[in-house]
């Protein structure tokens, strides 16, 4: 009997959720900026997937005789860099790298943050320790933390992703913990518990889905930060290994030529700006659409 | 509610006050001029990308500190940048009664900045301290061949070496062999408060920001024209160039190849270029089996188009096959084109025949200066010939350790030869004694070792030249390393000033600089 | 409130312990030998061994860490491996510059951020709102170092209105202010955007609140509605964001200081990491962490004043 009630309650929750998604989407699509952002993100994903079709040249193929060509040159509409590599091709392939690093960093950060947040929120005993660790990570300047991690692990994009992911753990953990704390006291969770459902099941099936909205908003905005941070680390010489066409590395390399071939920094700079902007507006839009009072 | 607003204001004010009180504590003594806005005060400012480590020639060992100590201290001898000969500086003259004895007469009437006299005692004190193991001086090796130092009279010292030592004058003219004031050294820390005999006296040092010097009005060779000079830290070279353009600094050196075009387009500066003594080379790790295969090294050498690379340096590099550069003692014209010429087809054939492309090559590089440029271009060229190359770029500290331990297949190394003597290049970098420290290519060849030792223990300079040439040819023929280019010393100075002296080793002096 | 300060103080001590351990161990594991950086490229293995002995780097990890803690507890944060200068002294020289930069950037961020946020909220959904939101978001989307370089190119080199770099003049002089303008804009835009965002959403919420409606209905002048009723309450979340951003700014100084040749703690940190100058790294990280905690404490205190409902006891 009780089981049937619970299932019904669950069904209602599911239905309500479906409705929530539809209304969220509808609200999001009303937001002009967010739509613009979505289009940019979709374009970028397209660029990343179909890179070899969009840019027909080799992103690391050098041609020293045709280096530093200006924009709108023959066969290189965005010019070439100091090694004579086609800037457009490198931008297109760079979209792949930005997305990959961003997604990896954010996923790792989410895994870490969600785990800590769930455990901290659910088990009172663990809460103190976990929150102290979170505070510790929090009071560390992010870029410094990343530098230390890269100093230990070595300079490459995987380690950059790890370094950046650690930096999103504390915020994510706090968000999830907050949601857990508010949901934990709800009656149906209490009921599940008294029925002997395992903690793991309760956390995964009932608590986590309720924290979904803030997590998705957080993740979207973190994508923006992650892409920006990768670029900053590349600027400090701690990013992609050459000749990888990473946007941040392209800017910092291009900066040496800023006075003679400004397009070498401006083009990748705009690429980063647009992408980060897109993730930010979509994140903003999602928050407004899901729950304007969300505290992110 | 008003109260709370006031409270916030007070808090902010407190923070600001904290900032400003900290500031006055940190301001260098007696300097209230500003560098902002480009208004002219008479301080002549040089910008470097990092800060000095310390200002005692005995204890420091870095180029930035050397730029400063060169103006505060002087050596017994100095290498004449025109004739390449060693001229006496604080010394008056010298003679060799036998191969192992150097009797040096000193100039008279010279005083240190603290008023104490410069004499034979000061020379003995400095050199003894430099070579004393207890001092742990980083360049103690300069005086390693020295056996005894004796004060003959007030202005004469006699130095006996353990064996005949060819490059001794070069060693005595080295930045780290400058003479310090013994009285000052006993009283204070020369690393922070230097006292020498040079044209400039120390005024202040704000760590991380700048070192200020003032003219030594009692300088024995006539007081310098620039009364105040500053060595300022500007970590970003682009920023330094912008500051040069706006007049916030007057002088920079080590111009980056990427920005030559920009600098050349600036109207308010003079750029000076001079062939230098530094060498940049592709090194094989000789402790790896694959690199011991002469054909493999040959295939790599055939595949690298060094002309194409040098053309990317915008005129800031000299192309030569020789390991010992054209400005270094030991160079002979015959070595200039003695190396393996670029022939990508021949390289492809070798790679294919011996399967060199099967196993990837780890190309290690430091992530600074021209090293990345070399790595990217060489990687592309080697790939063209069929090799598989992965770049591993590391920050400097990790790079140095990795290279020293020999954990790489190939890498790029450089040597800025401060004494401009071939022995000083070949011994530290390629003699088997130094595997595990400065011999990062782990090269070990008894025949070569013997030549290097000979070049160090021979006094007759003509003979030394021959020996060094022989050693040089041996390296070139066996493709022990692949010299990518030889450095060019570059400076850019405000057009209103003239009289800069630049040496092929990269040293420069502001002693005779005057304002137009 | 005193209880709050005491509790935070105790927490801070433990936090600093944790951070020092984290930094100490990561520098210990990181490749790159401090002795090599001291000894220079020509040092032999014997030289390096002597240097390591001298710096105490041959001792076991816990011995080294224990020694550091013992000295630190007595207020001695060690000496630079490179220059032998005392860490406290080195930081004391650089800290005022970093603080100046952080405060100036904060001013830029707060002024721009609150202004943009207010406009967006008051003219909700108008073109003004969209423009200022777009600008705010563009602000967080620009890579710091890129913006800095562009600003130098335009305002210092081409127009020559402002100096390129340095921060040597006292901040209350015209030169000092001029030197701060470009770095503060470079560093401040990111935070300005975050503040604007928060100001906008919290103002929007407050405007809809009952008491504002009541005030309006009562015929209170529109200006007073905005300034007294709305702003005050709308600012509470904004202050948290400002507090959090102060930490963000301190981290951001690393890059800004490099671009603008400012002799600050951020640059000291990266330089010291690059040179494996452990005591310097420790000292500067601990300082930044302490500041971060203290600023957040101040924020919490300010909070209790603005909103008496909040209590931390």
């Amino acid at each position: 009997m009780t089981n049937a009630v619970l299932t019904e309650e669950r069904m209602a929750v599911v239905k309500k959720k479906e409705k929530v998604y539809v209304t969220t989407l509808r609200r999001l699509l009303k937001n002009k900026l967010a739509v613009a952002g979505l289009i940019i993100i979709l374009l970028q994903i397209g660029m990343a997937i179909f890179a070899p079709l969009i840019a027909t040249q080799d992103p690391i193929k050098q041609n020293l005789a045709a280096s530093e060509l200006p924009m709108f040159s023959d066969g290189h509409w965005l010019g070439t860099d100091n090694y004579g590599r086609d800037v457009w091709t490198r931008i297109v392939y760079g979209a792949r790298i930005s997305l990959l690093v961003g997604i990896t960093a954010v996923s790792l950060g989410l895994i870490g943050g969600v785990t800590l947040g769930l455990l901290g929120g659910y088990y009172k005993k663990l809460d103190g320790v976990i929150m102290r660790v979170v505070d510790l990570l929090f009071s560390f300047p992010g870029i410094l933390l990343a530098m230390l991690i890269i100093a230990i692990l070595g300079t490459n994009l995987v380690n950059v992703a790890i370094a950046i992911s650690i930096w999103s753990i504390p915020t994510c953990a706090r968000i999830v913990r907050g949601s857990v704390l508010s949901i934990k006291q709800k009656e149906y969770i209490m009921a599940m518990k008294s029925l002997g459902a395992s903690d793991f099941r309760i956390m995964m099936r009932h608590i986590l889905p309720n924290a979904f909205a803030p997590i998705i908003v957080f993740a979207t905005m973190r994508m923006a930060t992650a892409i920006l941070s990768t670029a900053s680390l590349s600027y400090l010489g701690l990013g992609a290994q050459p000749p990888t066409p990473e946007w941040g590395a392209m800017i910092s390399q291009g900066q040496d030529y800023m006075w003679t071939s400004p397009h070498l920094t401006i083009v990748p700079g705009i690429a980063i700006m647009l992408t980060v902007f897109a993730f930010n507006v979509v994140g903003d839009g999602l928050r407004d659409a899901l729950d304007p009072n969300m505290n992110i | 509610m008003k109260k709370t607003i006031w409270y916030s204001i007070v808090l902010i004010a407190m923070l600001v006050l904290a900032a400003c009180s900290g500031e006055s504590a940190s301001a260098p003594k007696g300097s209230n001029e500003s560098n902002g806005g480009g208004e002219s005060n008479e301080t002549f400012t040089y910008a470097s990308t990092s800060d000095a480590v310390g200002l005692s020639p005995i204890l420091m060992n870095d180029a930035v500190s050397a730029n400063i100590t060169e103006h505060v201290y002087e050596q017994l001898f100095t290498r004449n940048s025109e004739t390449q000969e060693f001229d006496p500086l604080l010394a008056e003259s010298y003679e060799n009664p036998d191969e192992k004895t150097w009797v040096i007469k000193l100039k008279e009437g010279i005083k240190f900045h603290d008023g104490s006299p410069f004499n034979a005692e000061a020379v003995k004190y400095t050199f003894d301290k430099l070579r004393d193991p207890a001092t742990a001086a980083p360049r103690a090796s300069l005086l390693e061949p020295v056996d005894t130092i004796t004060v003959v009279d007030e202005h004469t010292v006699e130095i006996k070496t353990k064996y005949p030592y060819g490059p001794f004058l070069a060693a005595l003219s080295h930045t780290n062999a400058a003479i310090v004031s013994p009285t000052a050294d006993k009283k204070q820390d020369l690393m922070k408060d230097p006292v020498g005999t040079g044209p400039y006296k120390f005024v202040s040092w704000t760590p991380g920001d700048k070192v200020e010097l003032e003219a030594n009005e009692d300088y024995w060779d006539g007081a310098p024209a620039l009364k105040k000079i500053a060595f300022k830290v500007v970590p970003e070279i682009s920023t330094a160039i912008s500051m040069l353009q706006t007049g916030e600094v007057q002088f920079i050196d080590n111009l980056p190849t990427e920005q030559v075009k920009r600098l050349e387009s600036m109207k308010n500066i003079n750029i000076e270029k001079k062939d230098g003594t530094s060498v940049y080379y592709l090194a094989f790790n000789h402790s790896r089996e694959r690199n011991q295969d002469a054909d493999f090294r040959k295939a790599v050498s055939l595949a690298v188009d060094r002309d194409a690379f040098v053309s990317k340096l915008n005129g800031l590099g000299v192309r030569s096959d020789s390991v010992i550069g054209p400005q270094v003692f030991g160079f002979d014209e015959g070595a200039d084109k003695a190396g393996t010429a670029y022939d990508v087809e021949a390289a492809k054939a070798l790679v294919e025949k011996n399967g060199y492309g099967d196993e990837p090559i780890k190309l290690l590089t430091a992530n600074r200066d021209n090293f990345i440029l070399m790595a990217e271009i060489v990687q592309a060229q080697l790939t063209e010939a069929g090799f598989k190359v992965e770049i591993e770029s590391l920050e400097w500290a990790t790079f140095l350790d990795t290279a020293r331990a020999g954990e790489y297949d190939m890498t790029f190394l450089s040597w800025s030869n401060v004494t401009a003597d071939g022995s000083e290049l070949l011994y530290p970098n390629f003699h088997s004694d130094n595997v595990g420290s400065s011999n990062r290519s782990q090269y070990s060849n008894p025949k070569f070792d013997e030549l290097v030792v000979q070049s160090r223990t021979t006094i007759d300079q003509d003979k030394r030249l021959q020996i060094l040439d022989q050693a040089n040819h041996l390296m070139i023929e066996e493709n022990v390393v692949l010299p990518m280019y030889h450095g060019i010393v570059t400076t850019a100075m405000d057009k209103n000033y003239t009289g800069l002296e630049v040496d092929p080793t990269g040293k420069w002096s502001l002693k005779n600089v005057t304002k137009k | 409130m005193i209880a709050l300060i005491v509790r935070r103080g105790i927490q801070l001590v433990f936090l600093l312990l944790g951070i020092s351990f984290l930094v100490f161990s990561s520098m210990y594991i990181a490749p790159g030998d401090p002795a090599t950086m001291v000894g220079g490229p020509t040092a032999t293995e014997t030289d390096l061994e002597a240097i390591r002995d001298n710096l105490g780097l041959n001792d076991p990890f816990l011995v080294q860490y224990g020694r550091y803690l013992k000295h630190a507890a007595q207020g001695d944060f060690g000496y630079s491996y490179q220059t032998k200068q005392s860490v406290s002294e080195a930081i004391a020289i650089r800290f005022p510059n970093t603080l100046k930069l952080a405060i100036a950037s904060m001013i830029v961020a707060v002024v721009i951020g609150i202004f943009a946020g207010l406009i967006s909220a008051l003219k909700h959904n108008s073109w003004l709102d969209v423009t200022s939101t777009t600008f705010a978001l563009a602000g967080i989307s620009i890579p710091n170092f890129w913006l800095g370089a562009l600003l130098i190119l335009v305002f210092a080199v081409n127009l020559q209105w402002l100096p390129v770099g340095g921060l040597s003049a006292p901040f209350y002089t015209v030169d000092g202010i001029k030197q701060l303008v470009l770095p503060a804009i470079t560093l401040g835009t990111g935070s300005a955007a975050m503040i604007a965002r928060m100001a906008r959403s919290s103002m929007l919420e407050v405007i809809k609140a009952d008491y504002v409606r009541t005030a309006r209905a009562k015929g209170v002048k529109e200006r007073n509605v905005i300034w007294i009723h709305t702003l005050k309450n709308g600012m509470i979340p904004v202050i948290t964001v400002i507090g959090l951003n102060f930490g963000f700014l301190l981290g951001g100084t690393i890059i800004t200081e490099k671009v603008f040749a400012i002799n600050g703690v951020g640059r000291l940190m990266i330089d010291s990491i690059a040179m494996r100058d452990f005591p310097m790294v420790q000292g500067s990280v601990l300082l930044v962490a302490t500041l971060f905690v203290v600023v957040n404490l101040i924020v919490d205190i300010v909070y209790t004043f603005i909103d008496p409902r909040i209590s931390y006891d």
Side-chain angles (χ1 to χ4, degrees):
Chain A
M1 222 292 272
T2 33
N3 259 339
V5 171
L6 272 181
T7 326
E8 252 170 48
E9 189 180 318
R10 279 259 307 278
M11 286 301 289
V13 169
V14 169
K15 268 195 194 140
K16 202 178 133 209
K17 241 175 227 157
E18 268 166 17
K19 215 183 136 203
V20 167
Y21 289 139
V22 174
T23 42
T24 304
L25 196 65
R26 202 175 296 141
R27 277 195 213 146
L28 186 66
L29 291 181
K30 263 197 207 151
N31 182 337
K32 284 175 211 122
L33 269 179
V35 172
L38 266 181
I39 292 173
I40 296 175
I41 293 174
L42 288 176
L43 277 178
Q44 205 203 356
I45 294 175
M47 248 160 85
I49 295 174
F50 303 109
L53 299 176
I54 298 169
T56 42
Q57 303 181 40
D58 181 343
I60 58 170
K61 172 84 182 161
Q62 299 184 358
N63 181 1
L64 297 183
S67 62
E68 289 173 66
L69 291 181
M71 280 165 77
F72 308 112
S73 304
D74 249 2
H76 306 283
W77 75 278
L78 286 181
T80 59
D81 69 3
N82 56 318
Y83 299 98
R85 298 178 294 212
D86 183 47
V87 173
W88 165 241
T89 310
R90 287 177 72 75
I91 291 284
V92 171
Y93 279 86
R96 269 188 183 181
I97 290 163
S98 286
L99 280 182
L100 270 179
V101 174
I103 291 172
T104 318
V106 172
S107 324
L108 289 175
L110 284 186
I111 294 172
V114 168
T115 314
L116 287 183
L118 275 180
L119 293 177
Y122 198 80
Y123 298 109
K124 257 219 161 113
K125 274 184 196 151
L126 286 177
D127 196 29
V129 179
I130 288 178
M131 286 330 279
R132 290 296 85 75
V133 172
V134 166
D135 280 345
L136 193 143
L137 288 175
F138 218 73
S139 52
F140 233 70
I143 198 134
L144 183 76
L145 190 67
M147 284 174 70
L148 285 177
I149 292 168
I150 292 168
I152 296 170
L153 298 178
T155 313
N156 65 46
L157 278 176
V158 178
N159 297 339
V160 167
I162 294 174
I164 295 174
S165 72
I166 290 186
W167 170 3
S168 44
I169 288 177
T171 324
C172 180
R174 281 192 182 175
I175 294 169
V176 174
R177 176 176 171 269
S179 310
V180 175
L181 285 179
S182 68
I183 299 164
K184 207 169 80 176
Q185 305 308 328
K186 293 252 164 76
E187 272 167 27
Y188 73 101
I189 302 281
M190 299 290 214
M192 299 283 309
K193 240 186 185 168
S194 61
L195 282 172
S198 75
D199 287 351
F200 184 74
R201 198 183 146 84
I202 294 178
M203 274 193 257
M204 289 322 234
R205 302 282 304 264
H206 301 282
I207 293 183
L208 195 53
N210 278 298
F212 193 66
I215 290 177
I216 188 99
V217 174
F218 172 77
T220 318
M221 289 187 174
R222 264 298 140 154
M223 271 300 281
T225 321
I227 291 171
L228 211 54
S229 313
T230 315
S232 299
L233 287 170
S234 283
Y235 168 75
L236 294 173
L238 300 172
Q241 290 288 356
T244 318
E246 198 273 315
W247 289 346
M250 285 173 75
I251 298 186
S252 67
Q253 242 181 29
Q255 235 165 36
D256 293 333
Y257 301 86
M258 199 149 118
W259 280 263
T260 43
S261 313
H263 67 282
L264 293 183
T265 58
I266 292 179
V267 170
I270 290 174
I272 292 186
M273 221 178 104
L274 277 180
T275 311
V276 175
F277 178 79
F279 279 103
N280 273 324
V281 285
V282 172
D284 246 15
L286 271 175
R287 185 192 49 207
D288 289 349
L290 284 165
D291 175 9
N293 295 328
M294 193 185 290
N295 192 15
I296 290 185
Chain B
M1 193 44 65
K2 259 188 190 148
K3 230 190 208 165
T4 63
I5 294 166
W6 279 114
Y7 192 79
S8 329
I9 292 173
V10 167
L11 271 173
I12 292 167
M14 268 163 57
L15 280 172
V16 173
L17 273 176
C20 99
S21 61
E23 141 121 25
S24 56
S26 74
K29 31 182 164 165
S31 84
N32 51 3
E33 95 287 314
S34 72
N35 272 347
E39 87 270 69
S40 169
N41 49 56
E42 290 298 305
T43 304
F44 179 92
T45 307
Y46 158 77
S48 67
T49 49
S50 57
D51 196 11
V53 170
L55 302 177
S56 160
I58 296 173
L59 295 171
M60 66 88 190
N61 186 26
D62 66 292
V64 179
S65 306
N67 283 334
I68 303 167
T69 61
E70 281 286 334
H71 287 85
V72 177
Y73 303 91
E74 288 169 305
Q75 300 82 348
L76 295 181
F77 294 89
T78 181
R79 186 170 172 277
N80 186 314
S81 48
E82 302 306 320
T83 63
Q84 325 265 320
E85 305 269 320
F86 293 98
D87 295 343
L89 187 61
L90 287 177
E92 180 72 48
S93 62
Y94 75 96
E95 53 189 61
N96 294 110
D98 63 67
E99 281 202 318
K100 294 197 276 186
T101 309
W102 300 74
V103 178
I104 303 169
K105 275 212 98 40
L106 308 177
K107 286 200 172 82
E108 295 181 23
I110 296 177
K111 280 190 161 40
F112 287 104
H113 300 153
D114 63 351
S116 63
F118 163 75
N119 53 25
E121 205 47 67
V123 174
K124 181 175 164 54
Y125 176 87
T126 304
F127 288 172
D128 279 342
K129 183 154 184 188
L130 180 60
R131 67 203 189 105
D132 181 358
T135 312
R139 297 309 299 262
S141 60
L142 284 172
L143 298 182
E144 185 269 331
V146 170
D147 188 25
T148 58
I149 303 171
T150 330
V151 174
V152 178
D153 60 43
E154 178 75 9
H155 295 289
T156 314
V157 272
E158 183 196 81
I159 301 175
K160 278 194 183 298
T161 57
K162 295 173 204 154
Y163 46 84
Y165 187 57
F168 193 52
L169 287 183
L172 291 187
S173 65
H174 194 282
T175 307
N176 293 89
I179 309 299
V180 306
S181 157
T183 41
D185 186 49
K186 285 170 197 156
K187 203 173 75 192
Q188 69 212 44
D189 183 1
L190 293 185
M191 286 297 266
K192 288 174 188 153
D193 196 355
V195 176
T197 58
Y200 283 93
K201 291 197 280 195
F202 176 75
V203 178
S204 71
W205 181 5
T206 316
D209 188 26
K210 64 182 167 193
V211 172
E212 289 176 298
L213 305 181
E214 66 179 12
N216 173 10
E217 294 299 336
D218 304 322
Y219 185 55
W220 59 272
D221 201 18
L226 296 178
K227 296 306 171 200
K228 279 159 91 185
I229 57 176
F231 298 75
K232 188 171 173 53
V233 187
V234 180
E236 197 58 34
I237 187 78
S238 320
T239 308
I241 295 172
S242 298
M243 291 171 93
L244 184 66
Q245 190 166 5
T246 60
E248 287 163 67
V249 306
Q250 280 70 43
F251 173 52
I252 59 174
D253 64 349
N254 278 323
L255 312 180
T257 52
E258 299 86 12
Q259 307 221 19
V260 172
K261 282 182 200 154
R262 177 187 172 202
L263 281 155
E264 279 167 350
S265 73
M266 283 162 51
K267 295 195 177 64
N268 64 332
I269 56 159
N270 275 325
I271 298 176
E272 198 179 326
K273 297 179 195 170
K274 196 169 205 172
D275 288 3
T277 56
S278 59
V279 57
Y280 294 76
Y281 55 92
L282 172 63
F284 297 94
N285 176 357
H286 287 270
S287 67
R288 298 251 155 123
E289 205 175 315
R290 177 169 58 181
N291 290 333
Q292 288 162 6
D293 174 1
D295 272 351
F296 177 79
R297 299 199 304 268
K298 175 131 197 222
V300 170
S301 308
L302 284 167
V304 176
D305 182 356
R306 292 178 273 179
D307 288 306
F309 165 72
V310 171
S311 73
K312 287 302 294 174
L313 294 175
N314 292 324
L316 297 193
V318 175
R319 167 80 174 85
S320 169
D321 290 349
S322 176
V323 181
I324 297 178
Q327 300 301 316
V328 178
F329 182 82
F331 172 80
D332 184 89
E333 297 250 320
D336 200 39
K337 296 207 157 38
T340 310
Y342 171 64
D343 183 347
V344 70
E345 293 311 318
K348 275 182 189 163
L350 268 177
V351 170
E352 200 149 314
K353 191 178 126 207
N354 298 324
Y356 292 146
D358 299 345
E359 207 187 314
I361 297 168
K362 180 171 147 190
L363 181 61
L364 180 72
T365 174
N367 64 359
R368 63 185 208 172
D369 305 334
N370 281 336
F371 291 102
I372 293 276
L373 187 73
M374 280 193 268
E376 291 211 42
I377 290 178
V378 166
Q379 183 200 34
Q381 292 174 345
L382 290 179
T383 310
E384 177 81 33
F387 292 99
K388 258 194 222 126
V389 185
E390 284 157 18
I391 295 179
E392 185 182 25
S393 84
L394 297 176
E395 40 140 8
W396 189 236
T398 323
F399 169 80
L400 278 181
D401 268 7
T402 315
R404 193 161 56 89
E407 286 158 7
Y408 66 92
D409 293 324
M410 291 195 244
T411 188
F412 294 97
L413 297 170
S414 71
W415 187 255
S416 57
N417 199 325
V418 190
T419 56
D421 189 288
S423 303
E424 271 290 299
L425 163 70
L426 300 186
Y427 179 71
N429 289 289
F430 305 109
H431 192 284
S432 60
D433 278 0
N434 296 316
V435 170
S437 60
S438 52
N439 181 351
R440 297 190 177 81
S441 56
Q442 327 282 322
Y443 180 60
S444 164
N445 177 348
K447 199 173 134 203
F448 175 82
D449 283 358
E450 204 189 300
L451 284 171
V452 173
V453 170
Q454 271 182 34
S455 83
R456 281 160 60 87
T457 52
T458 308
I459 296 287
D460 182 338
Q461 300 295 321
D462 289 336
K463 237 188 236 162
R464 289 190 64 227
L465 198 61
Q466 278 174 16
I467 300 165
L468 285 169
D469 188 44
Q470 238 178 309
N472 192 16
H473 271 280
L474 189 153
M475 288 190 74
I476 300 168
E477 272 148 32
E478 303 222 326
N479 297 307
V480 171
V481 297
L482 196 64
M484 296 295 294
Y485 72 102
H486 296 271
I488 286 189
V489 175
T490 49
T491 57
M493 190 167 75
D494 188 326
K495 263 205 170 119
N496 294 321
Y497 295 86
T498 49
L500 182 73
E501 285 165 49
V502 182
D503 187 76
T505 58
K507 284 200 293 198
W508 38 261
S509 169
L510 301 177
K511 188 161 82 174
N512 296 323
V513 172
T514 52
K515 190 166 184 184
K516 274 183 197 165
Chain C
M1 193 183 12
I2 289 167
L4 171 70
I5 294 174
V6 169
R7 202 169 58 218
R8 290 298 182 86
I10 295 168
Q11 273 178 17
L12 176 63
V13 171
F14 282 101
L15 191 73
L16 291 182
L17 266 176
I19 287 174
S20 69
F21 184 77
L22 206 70
V23 175
F24 210 92
S25 47
S26 49
M27 290 316 280
Y28 186 82
I29 324 168
D33 182 354
T36 317
M37 301 315 285
V38 175
T42 49
T44 63
E45 191 47 47
T46 353
D47 295 343
L48 295 183
E49 215 30 55
I51 294 172
R52 277 183 216 122
D53 252 348
N54 191 4
L55 298 177
L57 292 167
N58 281 331
D59 299 331
F61 172 73
L62 284 177
V63 174
Q64 288 186 42
Y65 182 58
R67 188 168 50 214
Y68 180 81
L69 283 187
K70 200 178 128 199
H71 288 160
Q74 293 158 357
D76 170 12
F77 290 91
Y79 293 84
S80 159
Y81 290 168
Q82 285 286 323
T83 62
K84 316 289 176 231
Q85 196 188 12
S86 107
V87 171
S88 330
E89 201 184 306
I91 291 177
I93 287 169
R94 289 164 176 88
F95 180 58
N97 288 331
T98 301
L99 194 61
K100 262 196 274 184
L101 176 58
I103 290 175
S105 313
M106 204 72 241
I107 293 172
V108 168
V110 169
V111 170
I112 298 180
I114 292 187
F115 187 70
L118 271 182
I119 289 185
S120 292
L122 296 179
K123 311 275 172 198
H124 188 41
N125 281 338
S126 70
W127 64 270
L128 255 177
D129 179 18
V130 175
T131 332
S132 71
T133 312
T134 311
F135 268 101
L137 286 167
I140 2 176
S141 312
I142 299 178
N144 232 321
F145 56 95
W146 190 64
L147 179 64
L150 289 181
L151 288 177
I152 291 181
L153 178 66
V154 176
F155 294 101
V157 176
N158 287 343
L159 297 173
Q160 307 230 347
W161 289 350
L162 297 160
V164 177
L167 207 57
S168 47
F171 71 92
Y172 43 81
T173 61
V174 174
D175 281 335
I177 292 170
K178 275 183 165 178
Q179 286 178 336
L180 270 171
V181 174
L182 293 183
I185 292 176
T186 305
L187 186 53
T189 30
S191 304
M194 287 188 236
I195 293 172
R197 220 177 191 178
M198 186 48 82
R200 175 177 181 265
S201 62
S202 92
M203 286 294 290
L204 279 178
E205 203 181 307
V206 174
I207 286 173
K208 286 182 214 140
D210 290 343
Y211 62 91
V212 174
R213 235 184 296 153
T214 318
R216 281 219 175 98
K218 274 191 346 202
V220 176
K221 266 192 218 145
E222 183 64 18
R223 210 176 45 196
N224 288 350
V225 171
I226 294 167
W227 288 111
I228 299 173
H229 294 265
T230 322
L231 202 55
K232 198 175 65 196
N233 293 296
M235 280 308 104
I236 296 172
V238 176
I239 286 172
T240 337
V241 175
I242 291 175
L244 283 176
N245 266 281
F246 195 74
F248 172 83
L249 283 179
L250 287 172
T253 55
I254 291 178
I255 281 173
T256 314
E257 284 173 1
K258 189 167 141 89
V259 175
F260 288 96
I262 292 168
N263 185 26
V265 179
R267 222 176 81 204
L268 182 68
M269 258 192 272
I270 32 170
D271 288 352
S272 314
I273 293 181
M275 298 305 281
R276 300 292 185 267
D277 197 340
F278 298 170
M280 279 294 198
V281 179
Q282 276 284 7
S284 34
V285 174
L286 289 181
L287 173 81
V288 171
T290 311
L291 271 178
F292 183 80
V293 173
V294 170
V295 169
N296 279 302
L297 176 63
I298 295 175
V299 167
D300 287 346
I301 293 171
V302 172
Y303 242 48
T304 53
F305 275 86
I306 295 186
D307 188 348
R309 283 170 305 177
I310 298 173
S311 141
Y312 291 94
D313 299 319

